[in-house]
Amino acid sequence: MIDEELVRRRQRSRSIIMAVLLGSFALLTFLIAMAKITAGHAG
């Protein structure tokens, strides 16, 4: 019982970390794209 709870807790924390990493990657990609678009229009 206790081992199963520990495994579930680890899985949950791992999935939270993956979600945060995926979200920051998407945000970074978006910001880079916006910077390129603005630089293209300015020049």
Side-chain angles (χ1 to χ4, degrees):
M1 287 289 198
I2 298 174
D3 291 339
E4 187 176 329
E5 184 181 329
L6 183 64
V7 167
R8 295 224 185 262
R9 198 176 299 156
R10 284 182 182 168
Q11 285 176 341
R12 180 168 170 76
S13 64
R14 196 176 300 143
S15 61
I16 289 174
I17 290 172
M18 286 303 293
V20 168
L21 286 175
L22 183 62
S24 23
F25 177 72
L27 181 65
L28 183 65
T29 307
F30 175 75
L31 291 175
I32 290 174
M34 292 309 289
K36 284 186 174 184
I37 289 171
T38 357
H41 285 299

PDB file of all heavy atoms in Angstrom:
ATOM      1  N   MET A   1       0.819  -1.201   0.000  1.00  0.00           N
ATOM      2  CA  MET A   1       0.000   0.000   0.000  1.00  0.00           C
ATOM      3  C   MET A   1       0.861   1.263   0.000  1.00  0.00           C
ATOM      4  O   MET A   1       0.654   2.144  -0.791  1.00  0.00           O
ATOM      5  CB  MET A   1      -0.902   0.020   1.247  1.00  0.00           C
ATOM      6  CG  MET A   1      -2.037  -0.963   1.174  1.00  0.00           C
ATOM      7  SD  MET A   1      -3.251  -0.421  -0.042  1.00  0.00           S
ATOM      8  CE  MET A   1      -4.629  -1.409   0.472  1.00  0.00           C
ATOM      9  N   ILE A   2       1.838   1.300   0.895  1.00  0.00           N
ATOM     10  CA  ILE A   2       2.679   2.488   1.007  1.00  0.00           C
ATOM     11  C   ILE A   2       3.545   2.647  -0.252  1.00  0.00           C
ATOM     12  O   ILE A   2       3.725   3.756  -0.761  1.00  0.00           O
ATOM     13  CB  ILE A   2       3.556   2.418   2.279  1.00  0.00           C
ATOM     14  CG1 ILE A   2       2.653   2.376   3.522  1.00  0.00           C
ATOM     15  CG2 ILE A   2       4.500   3.603   2.338  1.00  0.00           C
ATOM     16  CD1 ILE A   2       3.391   2.176   4.801  1.00  0.00           C
ATOM     17  N   ASP A   3       4.046   1.532  -0.792  1.00  0.00           N
ATOM     18  CA  ASP A   3       4.868   1.596  -1.997  1.00  0.00           C
ATOM     19  C   ASP A   3       4.072   2.130  -3.181  1.00  0.00           C
ATOM     20  O   ASP A   3       4.572   2.930  -3.967  1.00  0.00           O
ATOM     21  CB  ASP A   3       5.423   0.198  -2.337  1.00  0.00           C
ATOM     22  CG  ASP A   3       6.458  -0.260  -1.318  1.00  0.00           C
ATOM     23  OD1 ASP A   3       7.013   0.616  -0.623  1.00  0.00           O
ATOM     24  OD2 ASP A   3       6.705  -1.480  -1.226  1.00  0.00           O
ATOM     25  N   GLU A   4       2.828   1.693  -3.297  1.00  0.00           N
ATOM     26  CA  GLU A   4       1.985   2.152  -4.400  1.00  0.00           C
ATOM     27  C   GLU A   4       1.745   3.660  -4.305  1.00  0.00           C
ATOM     28  O   GLU A   4       1.791   4.374  -5.307  1.00  0.00           O
ATOM     29  CB  GLU A   4       0.648   1.405  -4.356  1.00  0.00           C
ATOM     30  CG  GLU A   4      -0.235   1.696  -5.550  1.00  0.00           C
ATOM     31  CD  GLU A   4      -1.502   0.881  -5.536  1.00  0.00           C
ATOM     32  OE1 GLU A   4      -1.476  -0.258  -5.025  1.00  0.00           O
ATOM     33  OE2 GLU A   4      -2.516   1.395  -6.029  1.00  0.00           O
ATOM     34  N   GLU A   5       1.538   4.158  -3.101  1.00  0.00           N
ATOM     35  CA  GLU A   5       1.336   5.589  -2.903  1.00  0.00           C
ATOM     36  C   GLU A   5       2.593   6.371  -3.276  1.00  0.00           C
ATOM     37  O   GLU A   5       2.532   7.433  -3.898  1.00  0.00           O
ATOM     38  CB  GLU A   5       0.961   5.842  -1.443  1.00  0.00           C
ATOM     39  CG  GLU A   5       0.634   7.286  -1.145  1.00  0.00           C
ATOM     40  CD  GLU A   5       0.289   7.517   0.317  1.00  0.00           C
ATOM     41  OE1 GLU A   5      -0.265   6.586   0.948  1.00  0.00           O
ATOM     42  OE2 GLU A   5       0.595   8.597   0.818  1.00  0.00           O
ATOM     43  N   LEU A   6       3.744   5.821  -2.919  1.00  0.00           N
ATOM     44  CA  LEU A   6       5.011   6.477  -3.243  1.00  0.00           C
ATOM     45  C   LEU A   6       5.224   6.528  -4.750  1.00  0.00           C
ATOM     46  O   LEU A   6       5.632   7.552  -5.299  1.00  0.00           O
ATOM     47  CB  LEU A   6       6.164   5.711  -2.567  1.00  0.00           C
ATOM     48  CG  LEU A   6       7.567   6.295  -2.737  1.00  0.00           C
ATOM     49  CD1 LEU A   6       7.645   7.665  -2.078  1.00  0.00           C
ATOM     50  CD2 LEU A   6       8.595   5.359  -2.134  1.00  0.00           C
ATOM     51  N   VAL A   7       4.912   5.436  -5.429  1.00  0.00           N
ATOM     52  CA  VAL A   7       5.058   5.391  -6.894  1.00  0.00           C
ATOM     53  C   VAL A   7       4.142   6.414  -7.549  1.00  0.00           C
ATOM     54  O   VAL A   7       4.552   7.146  -8.444  1.00  0.00           O
ATOM     55  CB  VAL A   7       4.757   3.961  -7.414  1.00  0.00           C
ATOM     56  CG1 VAL A   7       4.597   3.964  -8.928  1.00  0.00           C
ATOM     57  CG2 VAL A   7       5.868   3.010  -7.005  1.00  0.00           C
ATOM     58  N   ARG A   8       2.889   6.479  -7.083  1.00  0.00           N
ATOM     59  CA  ARG A   8       1.941   7.444  -7.654  1.00  0.00           C
ATOM     60  C   ARG A   8       2.401   8.876  -7.429  1.00  0.00           C
ATOM     61  O   ARG A   8       2.245   9.736  -8.289  1.00  0.00           O
ATOM     62  CB  ARG A   8       0.555   7.246  -7.054  1.00  0.00           C
ATOM     63  CG  ARG A   8      -0.041   5.910  -7.402  1.00  0.00           C
ATOM     64  CD  ARG A   8      -1.490   6.044  -7.798  1.00  0.00           C
ATOM     65  NE  ARG A   8      -2.080   4.725  -8.018  1.00  0.00           N
ATOM     66  CZ  ARG A   8      -2.215   4.192  -9.225  1.00  0.00           C
ATOM     67  NH1 ARG A   8      -1.803   4.848 -10.287  1.00  0.00           N
ATOM     68  NH2 ARG A   8      -2.753   2.998  -9.370  1.00  0.00           N
ATOM     69  N   ARG A   9       2.971   9.139  -6.253  1.00  0.00           N
ATOM     70  CA  ARG A   9       3.462  10.485  -5.958  1.00  0.00           C
ATOM     71  C   ARG A   9       4.620  10.843  -6.893  1.00  0.00           C
ATOM     72  O   ARG A   9       4.706  11.964  -7.396  1.00  0.00           O
ATOM     73  CB  ARG A   9       3.906  10.550  -4.497  1.00  0.00           C
ATOM     74  CG  ARG A   9       4.019  11.974  -3.991  1.00  0.00           C
ATOM     75  CD  ARG A   9       4.363  12.016  -2.519  1.00  0.00           C
ATOM     76  NE  ARG A   9       3.320  11.362  -1.711  1.00  0.00           N
ATOM     77  CZ  ARG A   9       3.546  10.845  -0.505  1.00  0.00           C
ATOM     78  NH1 ARG A   9       4.739  10.888   0.019  1.00  0.00           N
ATOM     79  NH2 ARG A   9       2.563  10.291   0.176  1.00  0.00           N
ATOM     80  N   ARG A  10       5.514   9.888  -7.128  1.00  0.00           N
ATOM     81  CA  ARG A  10       6.638  10.145  -8.045  1.00  0.00           C
ATOM     82  C   ARG A  10       6.143  10.372  -9.462  1.00  0.00           C
ATOM     83  O   ARG A  10       6.652  11.244 -10.171  1.00  0.00           O
ATOM     84  CB  ARG A  10       7.621   8.974  -8.017  1.00  0.00           C
ATOM     85  CG  ARG A  10       8.482   8.953  -6.783  1.00  0.00           C
ATOM     86  CD  ARG A  10       9.457   7.808  -6.836  1.00  0.00           C
ATOM     87  NE  ARG A  10      10.263   7.733  -5.631  1.00  0.00           N
ATOM     88  CZ  ARG A  10      11.028   6.702  -5.319  1.00  0.00           C
ATOM     89  NH1 ARG A  10      11.083   5.652  -6.100  1.00  0.00           N
ATOM     90  NH2 ARG A  10      11.747   6.716  -4.210  1.00  0.00           N
ATOM     91  N   GLN A  11       5.170   9.564  -9.906  1.00  0.00           N
ATOM     92  CA  GLN A  11       4.624   9.733 -11.248  1.00  0.00           C
ATOM     93  C   GLN A  11       3.986  11.110 -11.393  1.00  0.00           C
ATOM     94  O   GLN A  11       4.154  11.772 -12.423  1.00  0.00           O
ATOM     95  CB  GLN A  11       3.571   8.655 -11.535  1.00  0.00           C
ATOM     96  CG  GLN A  11       4.149   7.287 -11.807  1.00  0.00           C
ATOM     97  CD  GLN A  11       3.073   6.227 -11.990  1.00  0.00           C
ATOM     98  OE1 GLN A  11       1.929   6.419 -11.588  1.00  0.00           O
ATOM     99  NE2 GLN A  11       3.457   5.107 -12.565  1.00  0.00           N
ATOM    100  N   ARG A  12       3.272  11.541 -10.361  1.00  0.00           N
ATOM    101  CA  ARG A  12       2.609  12.843 -10.410  1.00  0.00           C
ATOM    102  C   ARG A  12       3.631  13.972 -10.491  1.00  0.00           C
ATOM    103  O   ARG A  12       3.500  14.877 -11.316  1.00  0.00           O
ATOM    104  CB  ARG A  12       1.721  13.016  -9.180  1.00  0.00           C
ATOM    105  CG  ARG A  12       1.000  14.342  -9.151  1.00  0.00           C
ATOM    106  CD  ARG A  12      -0.076  14.361  -8.081  1.00  0.00           C
ATOM    107  NE  ARG A  12      -0.624  15.686  -7.883  1.00  0.00           N
ATOM    108  CZ  ARG A  12      -1.491  16.269  -8.709  1.00  0.00           C
ATOM    109  NH1 ARG A  12      -1.892  15.638  -9.794  1.00  0.00           N
ATOM    110  NH2 ARG A  12      -1.943  17.478  -8.460  1.00  0.00           N
ATOM    111  N   SER A  13       4.683  13.890  -9.671  1.00  0.00           N
ATOM    112  CA  SER A  13       5.682  14.960  -9.703  1.00  0.00           C
ATOM    113  C   SER A  13       6.432  14.960 -11.031  1.00  0.00           C
ATOM    114  O   SER A  13       6.749  16.020 -11.567  1.00  0.00           O
ATOM    115  CB  SER A  13       6.653  14.828  -8.532  1.00  0.00           C
ATOM    116  OG  SER A  13       7.389  13.633  -8.621  1.00  0.00           O
ATOM    117  N   ARG A  14       6.675  13.766 -11.590  1.00  0.00           N
ATOM    118  CA  ARG A  14       7.350  13.690 -12.877  1.00  0.00           C
ATOM    119  C   ARG A  14       6.487  14.285 -13.979  1.00  0.00           C
ATOM    120  O   ARG A  14       6.992  15.004 -14.856  1.00  0.00           O
ATOM    121  CB  ARG A  14       7.671  12.223 -13.187  1.00  0.00           C
ATOM    122  CG  ARG A  14       8.692  12.067 -14.303  1.00  0.00           C
ATOM    123  CD  ARG A  14       9.057  10.614 -14.507  1.00  0.00           C
ATOM    124  NE  ARG A  14       9.639  10.046 -13.290  1.00  0.00           N
ATOM    125  CZ  ARG A  14       9.431   8.794 -12.870  1.00  0.00           C
ATOM    126  NH1 ARG A  14       8.665   7.986 -13.558  1.00  0.00           N
ATOM    127  NH2 ARG A  14      10.000   8.360 -11.770  1.00  0.00           N
ATOM    128  N   SER A  15       5.188  14.015 -13.939  1.00  0.00           N
ATOM    129  CA  SER A  15       4.308  14.561 -14.971  1.00  0.00           C
ATOM    130  C   SER A  15       4.165  16.073 -14.830  1.00  0.00           C
ATOM    131  O   SER A  15       4.048  16.782 -15.834  1.00  0.00           O
ATOM    132  CB  SER A  15       2.938  13.877 -14.935  1.00  0.00           C
ATOM    133  OG  SER A  15       2.320  14.096 -13.703  1.00  0.00           O
ATOM    134  N   ILE A  16       4.199  16.576 -13.604  1.00  0.00           N
ATOM    135  CA  ILE A  16       4.152  18.026 -13.403  1.00  0.00           C
ATOM    136  C   ILE A  16       5.413  18.677 -13.979  1.00  0.00           C
ATOM    137  O   ILE A  16       5.348  19.698 -14.671  1.00  0.00           O
ATOM    138  CB  ILE A  16       3.992  18.364 -11.902  1.00  0.00           C
ATOM    139  CG1 ILE A  16       2.581  17.996 -11.443  1.00  0.00           C
ATOM    140  CG2 ILE A  16       4.277  19.840 -11.644  1.00  0.00           C
ATOM    141  CD1 ILE A  16       2.368  18.149  -9.958  1.00  0.00           C
ATOM    142  N   ILE A  17       6.563  18.059 -13.732  1.00  0.00           N
ATOM    143  CA  ILE A  17       7.819  18.584 -14.273  1.00  0.00           C
ATOM    144  C   ILE A  17       7.783  18.585 -15.795  1.00  0.00           C
ATOM    145  O   ILE A  17       8.176  19.560 -16.445  1.00  0.00           O
ATOM    146  CB  ILE A  17       9.016  17.764 -13.745  1.00  0.00           C
ATOM    147  CG1 ILE A  17       9.210  18.036 -12.251  1.00  0.00           C
ATOM    148  CG2 ILE A  17      10.281  18.088 -14.523  1.00  0.00           C
ATOM    149  CD1 ILE A  17      10.246  17.133 -11.602  1.00  0.00           C
ATOM    150  N   MET A  18       7.282  17.500 -16.390  1.00  0.00           N
ATOM    151  CA  MET A  18       7.198  17.423 -17.853  1.00  0.00           C
ATOM    152  C   MET A  18       6.263  18.496 -18.412  1.00  0.00           C
ATOM    153  O   MET A  18       6.549  19.105 -19.442  1.00  0.00           O
ATOM    154  CB  MET A  18       6.722  16.036 -18.291  1.00  0.00           C
ATOM    155  CG  MET A  18       7.766  14.955 -18.152  1.00  0.00           C
ATOM    156  SD  MET A  18       9.285  15.318 -19.058  1.00  0.00           S
ATOM    157  CE  MET A  18       8.684  15.231 -20.727  1.00  0.00           C
ATOM    158  N   ALA A  19       5.150  18.748 -17.723  1.00  0.00           N
ATOM    159  CA  ALA A  19       4.208  19.772 -18.172  1.00  0.00           C
ATOM    160  C   ALA A  19       4.846  21.160 -18.120  1.00  0.00           C
ATOM    161  O   ALA A  19       4.687  21.957 -19.038  1.00  0.00           O
ATOM    162  CB  ALA A  19       2.947  19.728 -17.323  1.00  0.00           C
ATOM    163  N   VAL A  20       5.587  21.423 -17.056  1.00  0.00           N
ATOM    164  CA  VAL A  20       6.260  22.719 -16.927  1.00  0.00           C
ATOM    165  C   VAL A  20       7.316  22.881 -18.022  1.00  0.00           C
ATOM    166  O   VAL A  20       7.418  23.942 -18.657  1.00  0.00           O
ATOM    167  CB  VAL A  20       6.887  22.873 -15.519  1.00  0.00           C
ATOM    168  CG1 VAL A  20       7.833  24.057 -15.467  1.00  0.00           C
ATOM    169  CG2 VAL A  20       5.801  23.001 -14.472  1.00  0.00           C
ATOM    170  N   LEU A  21       8.092  21.834 -18.274  1.00  0.00           N
ATOM    171  CA  LEU A  21       9.113  21.902 -19.322  1.00  0.00           C
ATOM    172  C   LEU A  21       8.482  22.103 -20.700  1.00  0.00           C
ATOM    173  O   LEU A  21       8.968  22.912 -21.492  1.00  0.00           O
ATOM    174  CB  LEU A  21       9.959  20.624 -19.316  1.00  0.00           C
ATOM    175  CG  LEU A  21      10.954  20.485 -18.170  1.00  0.00           C
ATOM    176  CD1 LEU A  21      11.632  19.123 -18.215  1.00  0.00           C
ATOM    177  CD2 LEU A  21      11.995  21.585 -18.223  1.00  0.00           C
ATOM    178  N   LEU A  22       7.413  21.380 -20.977  1.00  0.00           N
ATOM    179  CA  LEU A  22       6.745  21.520 -22.264  1.00  0.00           C
ATOM    180  C   LEU A  22       6.158  22.923 -22.435  1.00  0.00           C
ATOM    181  O   LEU A  22       6.285  23.528 -23.503  1.00  0.00           O
ATOM    182  CB  LEU A  22       5.646  20.466 -22.392  1.00  0.00           C
ATOM    183  CG  LEU A  22       4.900  20.422 -23.717  1.00  0.00           C
ATOM    184  CD1 LEU A  22       5.853  20.099 -24.853  1.00  0.00           C
ATOM    185  CD2 LEU A  22       3.784  19.399 -23.645  1.00  0.00           C
ATOM    186  N   GLY A  23       5.571  23.438 -21.366  1.00  0.00           N
ATOM    187  CA  GLY A  23       5.005  24.781 -21.419  1.00  0.00           C
ATOM    188  C   GLY A  23       6.064  25.848 -21.638  1.00  0.00           C
ATOM    189  O   GLY A  23       5.877  26.768 -22.429  1.00  0.00           O
ATOM    190  N   SER A  24       7.205  25.710 -20.949  1.00  0.00           N
ATOM    191  CA  SER A  24       8.259  26.706 -21.140  1.00  0.00           C
ATOM    192  C   SER A  24       8.885  26.598 -22.523  1.00  0.00           C
ATOM    193  O   SER A  24       9.255  27.611 -23.107  1.00  0.00           O
ATOM    194  CB  SER A  24       9.339  26.622 -20.061  1.00  0.00           C
ATOM    195  OG  SER A  24       9.395  25.391 -19.453  1.00  0.00           O
ATOM    196  N   PHE A  25       8.969  25.392 -23.066  1.00  0.00           N
ATOM    197  CA  PHE A  25       9.480  25.241 -24.431  1.00  0.00           C
ATOM    198  C   PHE A  25       8.545  25.912 -25.432  1.00  0.00           C
ATOM    199  O   PHE A  25       9.002  26.615 -26.336  1.00  0.00           O
ATOM    200  CB  PHE A  25       9.653  23.757 -24.779  1.00  0.00           C
ATOM    201  CG  PHE A  25      10.097  23.514 -26.187  1.00  0.00           C
ATOM    202  CD1 PHE A  25      11.391  23.819 -26.573  1.00  0.00           C
ATOM    203  CD2 PHE A  25       9.219  23.006 -27.118  1.00  0.00           C
ATOM    204  CE1 PHE A  25      11.811  23.614 -27.880  1.00  0.00           C
ATOM    205  CE2 PHE A  25       9.624  22.796 -28.425  1.00  0.00           C
ATOM    206  CZ  PHE A  25      10.920  23.101 -28.810  1.00  0.00           C
ATOM    207  N   ALA A  26       7.241  25.710 -25.256  1.00  0.00           N
ATOM    208  CA  ALA A  26       6.265  26.342 -26.148  1.00  0.00           C
ATOM    209  C   ALA A  26       6.332  27.863 -26.042  1.00  0.00           C
ATOM    210  O   ALA A  26       6.296  28.567 -27.050  1.00  0.00           O
ATOM    211  CB  ALA A  26       4.865  25.836 -25.818  1.00  0.00           C
ATOM    212  N   LEU A  27       6.453  28.374 -24.812  1.00  0.00           N
ATOM    213  CA  LEU A  27       6.550  29.816 -24.609  1.00  0.00           C
ATOM    214  C   LEU A  27       7.821  30.379 -25.245  1.00  0.00           C
ATOM    215  O   LEU A  27       7.787  31.419 -25.908  1.00  0.00           O
ATOM    216  CB  LEU A  27       6.532  30.129 -23.111  1.00  0.00           C
ATOM    217  CG  LEU A  27       6.600  31.607 -22.738  1.00  0.00           C
ATOM    218  CD1 LEU A  27       5.353  32.341 -23.225  1.00  0.00           C
ATOM    219  CD2 LEU A  27       6.751  31.763 -21.234  1.00  0.00           C
ATOM    220  N   LEU A  28       8.923  29.686 -25.062  1.00  0.00           N
ATOM    221  CA  LEU A  28      10.188  30.126 -25.654  1.00  0.00           C
ATOM    222  C   LEU A  28      10.100  30.150 -27.176  1.00  0.00           C
ATOM    223  O   LEU A  28      10.539  31.117 -27.816  1.00  0.00           O
ATOM    224  CB  LEU A  28      11.313  29.193 -25.200  1.00  0.00           C
ATOM    225  CG  LEU A  28      12.722  29.545 -25.671  1.00  0.00           C
ATOM    226  CD1 LEU A  28      13.164  30.872 -25.066  1.00  0.00           C
ATOM    227  CD2 LEU A  28      13.694  28.447 -25.302  1.00  0.00           C
ATOM    228  N   THR A  29       9.524  29.111 -27.762  1.00  0.00           N
ATOM    229  CA  THR A  29       9.359  29.058 -29.212  1.00  0.00           C
ATOM    230  C   THR A  29       8.488  30.213 -29.703  1.00  0.00           C
ATOM    231  O   THR A  29       8.801  30.852 -30.707  1.00  0.00           O
ATOM    232  CB  THR A  29       8.721  27.717 -29.619  1.00  0.00           C
ATOM    233  OG1 THR A  29       9.497  26.648 -29.063  1.00  0.00           O
ATOM    234  CG2 THR A  29       8.670  27.559 -31.118  1.00  0.00           C
ATOM    235  N   PHE A  30       7.408  30.473 -28.967  1.00  0.00           N
ATOM    236  CA  PHE A  30       6.518  31.578 -29.334  1.00  0.00           C
ATOM    237  C   PHE A  30       7.247  32.914 -29.270  1.00  0.00           C
ATOM    238  O   PHE A  30       7.134  33.742 -30.180  1.00  0.00           O
ATOM    239  CB  PHE A  30       5.308  31.571 -28.402  1.00  0.00           C
ATOM    240  CG  PHE A  30       4.391  32.741 -28.607  1.00  0.00           C
ATOM    241  CD1 PHE A  30       3.548  32.790 -29.705  1.00  0.00           C
ATOM    242  CD2 PHE A  30       4.369  33.783 -27.697  1.00  0.00           C
ATOM    243  CE1 PHE A  30       2.695  33.867 -29.888  1.00  0.00           C
ATOM    244  CE2 PHE A  30       3.516  34.858 -27.877  1.00  0.00           C
ATOM    245  CZ  PHE A  30       2.685  34.897 -28.972  1.00  0.00           C
ATOM    246  N   LEU A  31       8.007  33.130 -28.194  1.00  0.00           N
ATOM    247  CA  LEU A  31       8.716  34.402 -28.046  1.00  0.00           C
ATOM    248  C   LEU A  31       9.768  34.586 -29.132  1.00  0.00           C
ATOM    249  O   LEU A  31       9.934  35.689 -29.661  1.00  0.00           O
ATOM    250  CB  LEU A  31       9.359  34.479 -26.657  1.00  0.00           C
ATOM    251  CG  LEU A  31       8.371  34.615 -25.496  1.00  0.00           C
ATOM    252  CD1 LEU A  31       9.112  34.562 -24.165  1.00  0.00           C
ATOM    253  CD2 LEU A  31       7.563  35.893 -25.615  1.00  0.00           C
ATOM    254  N   ILE A  32      10.473  33.525 -29.474  1.00  0.00           N
ATOM    255  CA  ILE A  32      11.476  33.610 -30.545  1.00  0.00           C
ATOM    256  C   ILE A  32      10.797  33.932 -31.877  1.00  0.00           C
ATOM    257  O   ILE A  32      11.280  34.770 -32.651  1.00  0.00           O
ATOM    258  CB  ILE A  32      12.288  32.309 -30.629  1.00  0.00           C
ATOM    259  CG1 ILE A  32      13.204  32.202 -29.400  1.00  0.00           C
ATOM    260  CG2 ILE A  32      13.102  32.251 -31.908  1.00  0.00           C
ATOM    261  CD1 ILE A  32      13.945  30.900 -29.307  1.00  0.00           C
ATOM    262  N   ALA A  33       9.672  33.275 -32.145  1.00  0.00           N
ATOM    263  CA  ALA A  33       8.940  33.538 -33.392  1.00  0.00           C
ATOM    264  C   ALA A  33       8.474  34.989 -33.442  1.00  0.00           C
ATOM    265  O   ALA A  33       8.596  35.658 -34.476  1.00  0.00           O
ATOM    266  CB  ALA A  33       7.756  32.589 -33.509  1.00  0.00           C
ATOM    267  N   MET A  34       7.946  35.493 -32.328  1.00  0.00           N
ATOM    268  CA  MET A  34       7.487  36.881 -32.297  1.00  0.00           C
ATOM    269  C   MET A  34       8.647  37.852 -32.504  1.00  0.00           C
ATOM    270  O   MET A  34       8.516  38.861 -33.198  1.00  0.00           O
ATOM    271  CB  MET A  34       6.782  37.184 -30.971  1.00  0.00           C
ATOM    272  CG  MET A  34       5.473  36.453 -30.796  1.00  0.00           C
ATOM    273  SD  MET A  34       4.347  36.631 -32.177  1.00  0.00           S
ATOM    274  CE  MET A  34       3.866  38.337 -31.985  1.00  0.00           C
ATOM    275  N   ALA A  35       9.783  37.539 -31.910  1.00  0.00           N
ATOM    276  CA  ALA A  35      10.950  38.415 -32.077  1.00  0.00           C
ATOM    277  C   ALA A  35      11.405  38.438 -33.533  1.00  0.00           C
ATOM    278  O   ALA A  35      11.738  39.503 -34.068  1.00  0.00           O
ATOM    279  CB  ALA A  35      12.077  37.943 -31.171  1.00  0.00           C
ATOM    280  N   LYS A  36      11.390  37.278 -34.183  1.00  0.00           N
ATOM    281  CA  LYS A  36      11.795  37.227 -35.596  1.00  0.00           C
ATOM    282  C   LYS A  36      10.812  37.985 -36.474  1.00  0.00           C
ATOM    283  O   LYS A  36      11.206  38.681 -37.412  1.00  0.00           O
ATOM    284  CB  LYS A  36      11.894  35.763 -36.054  1.00  0.00           C
ATOM    285  CG  LYS A  36      13.121  35.058 -35.553  1.00  0.00           C
ATOM    286  CD  LYS A  36      13.224  33.673 -36.163  1.00  0.00           C
ATOM    287  CE  LYS A  36      14.527  33.018 -35.781  1.00  0.00           C
ATOM    288  NZ  LYS A  36      14.701  31.724 -36.439  1.00  0.00           N
ATOM    289  N   ILE A  37       9.525  37.847 -36.182  1.00  0.00           N
ATOM    290  CA  ILE A  37       8.505  38.536 -36.984  1.00  0.00           C
ATOM    291  C   ILE A  37       8.638  40.047 -36.825  1.00  0.00           C
ATOM    292  O   ILE A  37       8.619  40.792 -37.813  1.00  0.00           O
ATOM    293  CB  ILE A  37       7.094  38.054 -36.582  1.00  0.00           C
ATOM    294  CG1 ILE A  37       6.883  36.635 -37.058  1.00  0.00           C
ATOM    295  CG2 ILE A  37       6.014  38.978 -37.115  1.00  0.00           C
ATOM    296  CD1 ILE A  37       5.628  35.981 -36.538  1.00  0.00           C
ATOM    297  N   THR A  38       8.822  40.501 -35.591  1.00  0.00           N
ATOM    298  CA  THR A  38       8.946  41.949 -35.359  1.00  0.00           C
ATOM    299  C   THR A  38      10.223  42.483 -35.979  1.00  0.00           C
ATOM    300  O   THR A  38      10.229  43.557 -36.569  1.00  0.00           O
ATOM    301  CB  THR A  38       8.949  42.287 -33.851  1.00  0.00           C
ATOM    302  OG1 THR A  38       8.769  41.131 -33.088  1.00  0.00           O
ATOM    303  CG2 THR A  38       7.866  43.261 -33.514  1.00  0.00           C
ATOM    304  N   ALA A  39      11.292  41.756 -35.881  1.00  0.00           N
ATOM    305  CA  ALA A  39      12.556  42.189 -36.478  1.00  0.00           C
ATOM    306  C   ALA A  39      12.434  42.254 -37.986  1.00  0.00           C
ATOM    307  O   ALA A  39      12.980  43.145 -38.627  1.00  0.00           O
ATOM    308  CB  ALA A  39      13.685  41.249 -36.066  1.00  0.00           C
ATOM    309  N   GLY A  40      11.692  41.333 -38.565  1.00  0.00           N
ATOM    310  CA  GLY A  40      11.502  41.333 -40.007  1.00  0.00           C
ATOM    311  C   GLY A  40      10.706  42.530 -40.479  1.00  0.00           C
ATOM    312  O   GLY A  40      11.009  43.129 -41.503  1.00  0.00           O
ATOM    313  N   HIS A  41       9.685  42.935 -39.733  1.00  0.00           N
ATOM    314  CA  HIS A  41       8.873  44.076 -40.123  1.00  0.00           C
ATOM    315  C   HIS A  41       9.600  45.398 -39.887  1.00  0.00           C
ATOM    316  O   HIS A  41       9.412  46.349 -40.623  1.00  0.00           O
ATOM    317  CB  HIS A  41       7.549  44.077 -39.350  1.00  0.00           C
ATOM    318  CG  HIS A  41       6.578  43.050 -39.865  1.00  0.00           C
ATOM    319  ND1 HIS A  41       6.095  43.073 -41.157  1.00  0.00           N
ATOM    320  CD2 HIS A  41       6.010  41.981 -39.279  1.00  0.00           C
ATOM    321  CE1 HIS A  41       5.269  42.065 -41.342  1.00  0.00           C
ATOM    322  NE2 HIS A  41       5.193  41.369 -40.205  1.00  0.00           N
ATOM    323  N   ALA A  42      10.437  45.426 -38.849  1.00  0.00           N
ATOM    324  CA  ALA A  42      11.153  46.670 -38.530  1.00  0.00           C
ATOM    325  C   ALA A  42      12.208  46.950 -39.589  1.00  0.00           C
ATOM    326  O   ALA A  42      12.459  48.104 -39.924  1.00  0.00           O
ATOM    327  CB  ALA A  42      11.799  46.564 -37.142  1.00  0.00           C
ATOM    328  N   GLY A  43      12.836  45.896 -40.085  1.00  0.00           N
ATOM    329  CA  GLY A  43      13.917  46.085 -41.048  1.00  0.00           C
ATOM    330  C   GLY A  43      13.373  46.145 -42.416  1.00  0.00           C
ATOM    331  O   GLY A  43      13.698  46.681 -43.375  1.00  0.00           O
TER     332      GLY A  43
END
